Amino acid sequence: MTTAKTTAQAHTHAPAHTPAPPRSPAVGTFRPRRTAPWQADPYTDALRTGRGPLFLRRSDGWLLPLEVERWCAEPDSADLTVLERCRGTVLDIGCGPGRLVAALASRGRPSLGIDISPAAVSHAVRAGGSALVRSVFDPLPREGGWHTALLMDGNIGIGGDPLALLSRLTGVVRTAGSLIVETASAGTDAELDERVRVRVDNGNGAPGEAFSWARVGARALIRHARATGWTPSEQWTAAGRRFVALERPG
């Protein structure tokens, strides 16, 4: 057995160690540049042109189409049913290119969009809305004071954990405030409750950093809402899209 003393002596008499210089990568080695989700091509390209194709790609090749053209257009008839239900100050979480915050601003409604994509936020501001580059899990303006929060276009999937997201929003929306959630489409199983790892993809395999996402049907959402202190108040469908309104009890 080596004692502490002999170990110390060995260290004392050992020659000084000179670190080897860093090795350069072998010639011809390709190191792909990783890009943060929603913050680089192909999402930025799609926002710039206002059209897809754009998908969320699962590791098994499954693709979920993203409706870039609708996101970059004026609010459609389904969006109008949401805007009509907004009360007081409105926070649009994952606002994308800002069609809803721009529409709210044009109506004189105090509203703010947040999104982790700088390109999306710039688009929203140019459209006439107010928006910040911010994650919903970061500190937010008017924390705990918003009358209405929106999770449109599947944004209940943010973070891949609907329970954590709904719990977080109890600290964002004021007492007696509301949360309007767009769930999986009307033609999808209302019990859908899926957690996946996905990448943003333009259909040609463009690289993007993998991230966690969730897809939730209406009945599954209501279960999660009740478990986190929300009370379901209304459900409706419009133009093939399904929405659930939740209230934070007083």
Side-chain angles (χ1 to χ4, degrees):
M1 175 181 294
T2 303
T3 66
K5 181 178 179 180
T6 56
T7 301
Q9 290 173 339
H11 287 177
T12 299
H13 295 95
H17 174 68
T18 302
R23 291 183 297 176
S24 301
V27 175
T29 299
F30 174 69
R31 293 182 177 178
R33 179 175 59 89
R34 291 191 172 186
T35 57
W38 307 111
Q39 296 188 30
D41 300 336
Y43 182 58
T44 300
D45 285 343
L47 291 183
R48 185 175 62 250
T49 62
R51 61 179 183 272
L54 199 67
F55 307 90
L56 293 183
R57 177 185 288 273
R58 208 163 56 190
S59 59
D60 62 3
W62 171 90
L63 295 173
L64 175 67
L66 301 178
E67 300 180 76
V68 178
E69 291 85 353
R70 178 171 65 78
W71 298 350
C72 293
E74 296 293 317
D76 62 14
S77 59
D79 293 328
L80 294 178
T81 68
V82 173
L83 295 174
E84 290 163 359
R85 289 167 168 83
C86 290
R87 297 182 286 116
T89 56
V90 183
L91 179 68
D92 186 3
I93 299 157
C95 67
R99 71 187 188 283
L100 298 182
V101 288
L104 288 163
S106 71
R107 298 177 179 201
R109 301 292 299 277
S111 59
L112 176 70
I114 59 170
D115 203 291
I116 64 171
S117 165
V121 167
S122 295
H123 196 294
V125 171
R126 288 196 303 272
S130 296
L132 294 175
V133 178
R134 197 72 56 87
S135 164
V136 66
F137 296 104
D138 292 336
L140 299 174
R142 299 181 185 174
E143 186 112 1
W146 294 95
H147 293 87
T148 305
L150 305 177
L151 285 171
M152 296 294 100
D153 306 321
N155 283 335
I156 184 62
I158 290 172
D161 187 344
L163 281 166
L165 180 56
L166 291 168
S167 295
R168 162 62 177 144
L169 292 178
T170 62
V172 172
V173 175
R174 66 183 298 169
T175 300
S178 64
L179 171 63
I180 301 175
V181 182
E182 181 173 355
T183 66
S185 63
T188 306
D189 182 2
E191 294 288 352
L192 176 69
D193 195 6
E194 179 181 60
R195 312 288 185 273
V196 290
R197 293 282 291 174
V198 294
R199 299 174 186 270
V200 180
D201 196 302
N202 64 3
N204 295 320
E209 190 72 14
F211 59 97
S212 298
W213 194 250
R215 296 175 67 221
V216 182
R219 285 199 292 269
L221 171 70
I222 289 171
R223 285 198 308 273
H224 295 321
R226 287 177 171 148
T228 51
W230 293 95
T231 299
S233 59
E234 187 181 6
Q235 297 183 58
W236 72 97
T237 59
R241 295 162 63 192
R242 180 177 287 166
F243 305 91
V244 177
L246 309 171
E247 291 186 355
R248 186 181 169 212

